[in-house]
């Protein structure tokens, strides 16, 4: 074979596919840009649309924070991309977020990616709209009333004391993130779904935790349901969870309604009975799965971040303990300390500031998903009808002008009330507007109690120092936060 033939063969083998790929990418870009609203004179936001069909989903899933940080540096507070099969505009910043959150039902509507809608199901609160969303939210909110929260406090304390006793017996190293996930999972199972975990075989609890982890890991994936795909694995894990929840629902259906304080799942069952319609078992399973996701995944992330920041700032731990001591809550001896109540928790001002600062620097949920109901203009750019809109919580906190020295962990910044309008849209760990987190008061109480028990029972050391944080889809430490726990003696 002569040299000419070799060169020609090499060109055909290497160059031609590359040219075809470049052509396909260019045609894809032209196609995506053709979906702009020609009746609107404002330009589309800057940005790129990635590969044909896949868009930039693979980069986002694989790189997460690195990908998002690169986009923000290059394009600023608003840019276009193509994620999970749909043209998308990602936004951040107080003014941009204000327009999106106040535009619910007028400019935008909640619209999670297809994989999320498929795995969680159409019957859960996050995927409902209008009157259906309003009615179900009203029912679920009963489970987060002040009276209900007061009844939950002893259960939260019991589970936390149990968990921390095990942590203190763990020896030289405990992987914090898996341990905290298990703690929060147990609390959510007992309080939100009414599971009697004492009657559950411990051998059955761990597979349920693992199934939930698998489901969450694949919640945001390409909408391709084929063997070994993310969506396929997520649905298989979801089915394991549904089977266990169905058993619980059937047990609850056999009980007669009473006037006692009820878990969220029982309230949904009672509501179904009162409507006079047949109980929709699938809808109840979807709602229960969503409650577990919201009730344990996000709180586990926040609790792990609390251990991280407090472990790196021992002086702040001392200030928390001083506040606990002033309220009669520091002693390890139950006979010497006051009982925790909602009123007493609300008096823990500095502890509350520690929680807020943790949620500012490390919000568990990165952002919220919407879809444009009509073409509108945002910060000088058109957002075409039908495009997805993602508002970023973490980036909005990072660029909010109300915060100075943004990289520092400084709970004192929250001792002075923030300007109401700026903080309403510049500090949004629970989202905002009519779609703000339904369980945010539950989460605040739970995490405050966690801080109390952590600082009252434990001293700890982060064995690897400050962790690298990842998102998948909830924020977590890449190394699972190996930590050494030792007992704290309040009388020492």
């Amino acid at each position: 074979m002569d040299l000419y033939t070799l060169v020609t063969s090499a060109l055909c083998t290497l160059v031609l596919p590359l040219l075809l790929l470049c052509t396909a990418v260019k045609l894809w870009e032209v196609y995506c840009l053709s979906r702009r609203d020609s009746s609107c004179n404002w330009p589309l936001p800057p940005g790129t649309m990635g590969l044909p069909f896949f868009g930039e989903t693979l980069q986002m899933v694989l790189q997460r924070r690195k990908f998002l940080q690169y986009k923000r540096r290059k394009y600023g507070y608003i840019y276009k991309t193509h994620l999970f099969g749909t043209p998308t505009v990602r936004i951040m910043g107080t003014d941009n977020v204000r327009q999106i959150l106040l535009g619910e039902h007028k400019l935008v509507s909640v619209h999670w990616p297809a994989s999320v809608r498929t795995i969680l199901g159409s019957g859960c609160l996050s995927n409902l709209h209008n009157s259906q969303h309003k009615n179900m939210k009203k029912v679920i909110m009963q489970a987060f009333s002040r009276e209900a929260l007061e009844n939950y406090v002893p259960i939260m304390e019991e589970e936390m004391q149990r968990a921390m006793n095990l942590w203190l017996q763990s020896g030289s190293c405990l992987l914090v993130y898996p341990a905290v996930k298990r703690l929060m999972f147990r609390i959510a199972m007992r309080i939100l779904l009414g599971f009697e975990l004492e009657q559950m075989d411990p051998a059955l609890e761990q597979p349920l935790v693992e199934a939930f982890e698998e489901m969450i890991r694949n919640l945001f994936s390409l909408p391709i349901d084929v063997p070994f795909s993310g969506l396929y694995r997520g649905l298989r894990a979801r089915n394991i969870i549904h089977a266990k929840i169905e058993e619980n629902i059937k047990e609850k259906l056999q009980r007669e309604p009473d006037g006692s304080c009820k878990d969220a799942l029982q309230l949904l069952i009672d509501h179904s009975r009162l409507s006079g319609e047949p109980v929709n078992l699938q809808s109840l399973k979807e709602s229960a799965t969503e409650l577990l996701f919201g009730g344990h995944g996000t709180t586990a992330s926040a609790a792990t971040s609390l251990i991280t920041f407090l472990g790196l700032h021992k002086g702040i731990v001392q200030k928390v303990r001083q506040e606990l001591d002033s309220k009669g809550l520091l002693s390890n001896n139950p006979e010497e300390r006051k009982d925790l109540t909602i009123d007493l928790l609300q008096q823990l001002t500095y502890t509350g500031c520690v929680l807020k600062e943790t949620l500012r620097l490390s919000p568990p949920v990165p952002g919220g998903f919407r879809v444009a109901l009509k073409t509108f203009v945002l910060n000088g750019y058109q957002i075409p009808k039908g495009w997805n809109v993602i508002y970023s919580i973490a980036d909005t906190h990072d660029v909010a002008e109300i915060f100075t020295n943004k990289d520092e962990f400084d709970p004192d910044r929250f001792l002075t009330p923030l300007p109401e309008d700026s903080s309403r849209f510049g500090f949004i760990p629970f989202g905002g507007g009519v779609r703000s987190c339904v369980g945010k008061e539950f989460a605040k109480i739970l995490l405050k109690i966690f801080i109390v028990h952590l600082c009252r029972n434990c001293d700890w050391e982060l064995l690897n120092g400050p962790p690298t944080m990842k998102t998948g889809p909830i924020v977590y430490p890449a190394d699972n936060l190996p930590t050494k726990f030792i007992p704290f003696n309040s009388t020492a």
Side-chain angles (χ1 to χ4, degrees):
M1 186 180 292
D2 59 26
L3 180 62
Y4 176 79
T5 304
L6 285 172
V7 171
T8 303
S9 177
L11 287 175
C12 291
T13 303
L14 300 175
V15 178
L16 186 58
L18 183 61
L19 287 173
L20 290 173
L21 177 61
C22 291
T23 302
V25 170
K26 186 62 179 178
L27 289 173
W28 170 252
E29 190 87 14
V30 171
Y31 165 73
C32 291
L33 297 183
S34 72
R35 298 182 64 180
R36 72 184 299 277
D37 189 337
S38 58
S39 66
C40 179
N41 294 325
W42 294 91
L44 287 169
T48 54
M49 308 302 276
L51 298 172
F53 178 70
F54 295 101
E56 296 184 312
T57 303
L58 294 177
Q59 297 99 303
M60 207 277 283
V61 169
L62 294 174
Q63 298 178 340
R64 295 284 183 179
R65 287 195 167 196
K66 184 178 179 181
F67 170 79
L68 297 175
Q69 288 168 355
Y70 166 77
K71 288 288 187 177
R72 173 179 149 191
R73 286 196 303 269
K74 186 168 184 178
Y75 300 116
Y77 291 7
I78 175 170
Y79 57 85
K80 68 177 180 290
T81 179
H82 199 284
L83 298 173
F84 307 109
T86 307
T88 300
V89 175
R90 192 169 185 272
I91 69 125
M92 64 198 74
T94 302
D95 292 335
N96 292 334
V97 167
R98 177 189 291 109
Q99 190 167 340
I100 296 301
L101 292 182
L102 294 182
E104 190 76 33
H105 304 315
K106 299 186 290 288
L107 300 178
V108 297
S109 179
V110 70
H111 188 73
W112 292 94
S115 59
V116 178
R117 299 196 305 273
T118 302
I119 293 173
L120 290 185
S122 59
C124 67
L125 185 66
S126 296
N127 290 326
L128 294 178
H129 295 84
N130 303 320
S131 61
Q132 285 183 313
H133 176 266
K134 184 178 180 180
N135 291 337
M136 182 174 282
K137 184 176 181 179
K138 186 177 180 180
V139 174
I140 293 175
M141 284 299 293
Q142 296 176 51
F144 302 126
S145 67
R146 184 184 177 87
E147 178 187 6
L149 292 173
E150 195 78 67
N151 287 318
Y152 299 155
V153 170
I155 299 174
M156 294 176 182
E157 288 203 273
E158 177 189 330
E159 288 292 339
M160 287 180 191
Q161 193 63 54
R162 172 186 171 277
M164 289 182 192
N165 287 341
L166 293 174
W167 298 358
L168 291 169
Q169 297 168 19
S170 62
S172 60
C173 178
L174 174 79
L175 294 179
V176 164
Y177 186 52
V180 171
K181 281 190 293 185
R182 182 146 192 167
L183 164 62
M184 296 303 175
F185 189 79
R186 286 180 61 89
I187 291 173
M189 289 280 281
R190 290 185 64 181
I191 289 177
L192 300 180
L193 303 190
F195 272 82
E196 299 292 340
L197 294 182
E198 295 80 3
Q199 301 174 13
M200 182 186 290
D201 184 347
L204 297 178
E205 183 181 340
Q206 186 58 30
L208 201 57
V209 173
E210 292 173 357
F212 215 90
E213 290 305 306
E214 180 73 0
M215 188 194 81
I216 293 176
R217 202 161 33 242
N218 294 288
L219 200 56
F220 290 83
S221 54
L222 287 169
I224 306 172
D225 185 11
V226 296
F228 309 111
S229 69
L231 181 59
Y232 178 83
R233 293 195 301 270
L235 287 171
R236 285 188 63 188
R238 190 274 317 269
N239 291 340
I240 294 172
I241 298 162
H242 274 196
K244 190 62 185 176
I245 290 174
E246 184 173 336
E247 292 177 15
N248 192 37
I249 292 172
K250 289 180 177 178
E251 289 178 10
K252 287 176 177 290
L253 287 171
Q254 293 174 2
R255 303 174 195 161
E256 290 297 323
D258 57 43
S260 61
C261 181
K262 299 180 177 67
D263 56 80
L265 180 56
Q266 186 65 58
L267 288 168
L268 289 171
I269 291 172
D270 292 349
H271 178 71
S272 297
R273 283 168 163 165
L274 290 173
S275 69
E277 298 179 2
V279 172
N280 187 329
L281 191 59
Q282 182 64 23
S283 179
L284 287 173
K285 288 189 291 186
E286 291 172 357
S287 296
T289 303
E290 181 187 36
L291 284 168
L292 266 184
F293 169 60
H296 104 277
T298 54
T299 53
S301 171
T304 303
S305 294
L306 280 164
I307 291 175
T308 302
F309 289 125
L310 290 174
L312 295 170
H313 300 86
K314 299 299 185 182
I316 291 174
V317 175
Q318 292 306 314
K319 292 178 75 171
V320 171
R321 285 174 175 160
Q322 288 171 10
E323 182 173 67
L324 298 183
D325 193 30
S326 71
K327 300 297 181 181
L329 293 171
L330 187 60
S331 174
N332 298 106
N333 186 345
E335 296 179 0
E336 296 177 0
R337 64 175 183 253
K338 293 182 180 178
D339 292 331
L340 271 181
T341 63
I342 300 296
D343 283 337
L344 198 48
L345 286 166
Q346 290 175 339
Q347 294 173 31
L348 299 178
T349 305
Y350 187 75
T351 302
C353 292
V354 169
L355 175 56
K356 288 179 181 178
E357 181 70 343
T358 299
L359 296 176
R360 180 187 73 85
L361 279 171
S362 189
V365 178
F369 285 76
R370 302 290 187 270
V371 64
L373 297 175
K374 62 181 180 181
T375 299
F376 62 95
V377 176
L378 181 67
N379 198 21
Y381 298 107
Q382 70 157 281
I383 312 298
K385 178 181 178 181
W387 282 43
N388 279 354
V389 179
I390 301 176
Y391 71 89
S392 171
I393 293 174
D395 285 320
T396 296
H397 289 180
D398 197 36
V399 302
E401 295 179 357
I402 52 173
F403 301 121
T404 58
N405 301 319
K406 296 181 177 67
D407 294 334
E408 292 183 14
F409 184 75
D410 180 19
D412 287 38
R413 73 174 79 242
F414 285 99
L415 290 173
T416 303
L418 300 173
E420 183 177 350
D421 188 56
S422 297
S423 63
R424 183 183 174 193
F425 300 104
F427 178 61
I428 49 171
F430 299 102
V434 297
R435 288 279 179 173
S436 64
C437 175
V438 68
K440 62 183 177 182
E441 295 306 319
F442 169 82
K444 290 176 186 177
I445 294 298
L446 173 62
L447 292 168
K448 267 194 170 183
I449 295 174
F450 181 79
I451 297 172
V452 171
H453 276 263
L454 181 68
C455 293
R456 188 163 68 193
N457 288 287
C458 307
D459 276 317
W460 63 100
E461 177 188 356
L462 309 183
L463 298 179
N464 288 352
T468 299
M469 303 304 290
K470 298 183 71 174
T471 306
I474 294 171
V475 173
Y476 68 98
D479 63 357
N480 282 323
L481 203 66
T483 302
K484 180 180 179 180
F485 285 88
I486 60 173
F488 166 69
N489 187 352
S490 61
T491 61

